[in-house]
Amino acid sequence: MGDRANVIVVRENGTHEVYRTGWAVGIDLDLLEGPTPVLAMLPGLRQDGWWLDDTMAQGGILLDLGRKVLLFFAWEGPSTELRHRATMFELIRAAWPGWEVRWLYDGSAELREYVGLDPECVRRRDSDPSLAPLLAPDDEDLAGSDPGGVVITVSTDRCHVASDVFDHPVREGAALLNRLADAPGHGGCHVHVNSGIHLDPERRHLGWWSLYSSPQAYRVPELWPGWRVEF
């Protein structure tokens, strides 16, 4: 089934084991029980050598038992939501006393780097981004109490909102500017978005952010040649 995640356990002697689960959505909630229950869930899920790639891994966890380091990422769940993120991290750290807890923005590639493996093995450089629709102010996707979305501001006078169920629009590169030329405008953003972009075409400056993991997050500057990119 979908919602796949890798769980990596690094033993005290430095060796690591790879597990695969089908519970990527809400994987951060499982961390609230602490290390012992998480380890107890793993028997029977062993998948050594089977690493999910950029497009398949919707979440991931690494437990370094010797160094007491917990790394994790997700595409969905409370830790990716503006309203809940700070509280989730506070609760997870309370459940893992003495552990260093870190969020990964680049997903499976960062898990592999941590254990000394080549991150390129899980890159999907040949995959085109899934274009996020640009939403009108009255779009039904923005209805409801907490619709989410991606806020995109251009210079000081333009605001747009995109759907957040597709790839982060920053992955489109400079072609995004062409799409924005005819995009519905918003007077401002009044929803609890979980990611955003600010574009200054005159200065060729791009700032972007995301609460959820985004494949190849640190390689976005390659998609915007000639621009100064800040993450």
Side-chain angles (χ1 to χ4, degrees):
M1 300 298 290
D3 304 331
R4 302 172 183 88
N6 276 137
V7 179
I8 315 303
V9 177
V10 181
R11 298 293 176 182
E12 288 84 348
N13 63 2
T15 62
H16 70 272
E17 302 155 3
V18 182
Y19 301 84
R20 184 168 60 90
T21 78
W23 39 269
V25 175
I27 199 169
D28 43 9
L29 294 173
D30 291 288
L31 297 176
L32 296 178
E33 295 190 74
T36 300
V38 171
L39 289 168
M41 290 189 291
L42 297 180
L45 301 176
R46 188 80 174 259
Q47 296 283 337
D48 278 349
W50 189 341
W51 289 78
L52 298 168
D53 63 29
D54 273 344
T55 60
M56 297 290 287
Q58 295 172 274
I61 297 173
L62 183 144
L63 294 78
D64 187 330
L65 304 180
R67 296 179 179 176
K68 289 197 171 181
V69 174
L70 170 64
L71 311 177
F72 73 105
F73 72 93
W75 290 1
E76 297 180 64
S79 58
T80 70
E81 298 166 0
L82 186 63
R83 287 183 173 180
H84 307 130
R85 186 179 181 90
T87 298
M88 277 299 300
F89 271 81
E90 181 180 344
L91 293 172
I92 290 172
R93 288 188 171 107
W96 296 70
W99 285 65
E100 178 187 353
V101 178
R102 299 204 320 257
W103 178 261
L104 302 180
Y105 287 98
D106 196 12
S108 291
E110 289 190 90
L111 293 178
R112 286 182 62 88
E113 284 181 313
Y114 186 92
V115 296
L117 298 179
D118 183 5
E120 288 299 318
C121 291
V122 292
R123 300 284 192 203
R124 287 294 302 275
R125 292 183 174 277
D126 58 339
S127 62
D128 295 325
S130 299
L131 300 186
L134 297 164
L135 308 176
D138 60 352
D139 194 289
E140 63 180 11
D141 284 355
L142 295 178
S145 58
D146 195 9
V150 183
V151 60
I152 306 172
T153 51
V154 183
S155 299
T156 60
D157 57 353
R158 289 170 54 195
C159 177
H160 309 282
V161 178
S163 169
D164 64 355
V165 296
F166 296 83
D167 286 335
H168 197 298
V170 77
R171 294 189 61 202
E172 297 178 41
L176 175 62
L177 286 168
N178 297 328
R179 287 216 298 142
L180 293 176
D182 300 319
H186 293 245
C189 180
H190 305 287
V191 296
H192 288 265
V193 297
N194 301 320
S195 58
I197 302 173
H198 178 68
L199 293 159
D200 186 338
E202 183 177 350
R203 294 179 176 84
R204 296 179 72 81
H205 176 222
L206 160 69
W208 73 285
W209 62 278
S210 175
L211 297 187
Y212 51 83
S213 172
S214 181
Q216 303 180 45
Y218 301 112
R219 303 205 172 187
V220 167
E222 299 173 14
L223 306 174
W224 293 80
W227 285 65
R228 181 166 62 92
V229 177
E230 290 185 87
F231 178 35

